[in-house]
Amino acid sequence: MTTPATPAPTPATPAPTPDTADVSAGLLAELAPLLAAESDAEAPAAGVDPGDLEQAVWLRLLERLRDTGAPDRPAEWLRRAVRAEARRARRTGDRERPYRTEPVHEPAGAEPHGSPEHSLLSAEGRRTLRAAVTRTPGRCPGVLAAMLDPKDPTYREIAGELGISQGSLGPMRSRCLGCLRRMLAAEVPAPGRRGRVC
């Protein structure tokens, strides 16, 4: 018979005394204008909102007050903390990359969706897709054509039209889409260099 393990005692954080709470509140009030000014100065270079930078530093300061108490030189500590948070935000921003499928922000006034080039490319993509659907095996052309129907039929309507059970439509659709995806991946060139490569 085993006995349940007792959890290890955790150190309790001491409750703030009225004196510490007053000192903390006074320190926060004293540092607020300096933090706002420092955040406004550092945020543009870091590519973040000054409010976000301020919030991160406030959090850092409150953790510091809880763990080790007030810094000896609060204004100097605050300036270093703002710069450290700005560096962290820059490093994070440098590592972040948008998804390839994420739409690119178009400048104001540009209407790429109404351009003849966009219309031509969209029509060509639809033709390629419809041609690939007709080449899929088995019942896939009917299933995929029903999925592409502009009337947007329900599963029940598609199953009735194709003469199959509604429960088997989902797995069949999944298999057909996988087949179509493989076919299109073989036909569409991978993104990369275009034109002549010297």
Side-chain angles (χ1 to χ4, degrees), residues 133-156:
V133 164
T134 60
R135 293 192 314 271
T136 54
R139 290 186 155 176
C140 288
V143 171
L144 294 172
M147 295 288 174
L148 292 172
D149 190 347
K151 291 182 277 185
D152 196 24
T154 64
Y155 265 33
R156 177 177 287 169

Side-chain angles (χ1 to χ4, degrees), residues 102-151:
E102 205 169 271
V104 178
H105 174 69
E106 297 294 333
E111 295 187 29
H113 298 294
S115 71
E117 295 158 346
H118 183 268
S119 299
L120 178 69
L121 290 173
S122 295
E124 186 178 336
R126 285 191 300 273
R127 274 193 305 275
T128 303
L129 178 63
R130 296 269 182 201
V133 164
T134 60
R135 293 192 314 271
T136 54
R139 290 186 155 176
C140 288
V143 171
L144 294 172
M147 295 288 174
L148 292 172
D149 190 347
K151 291 182 277 185

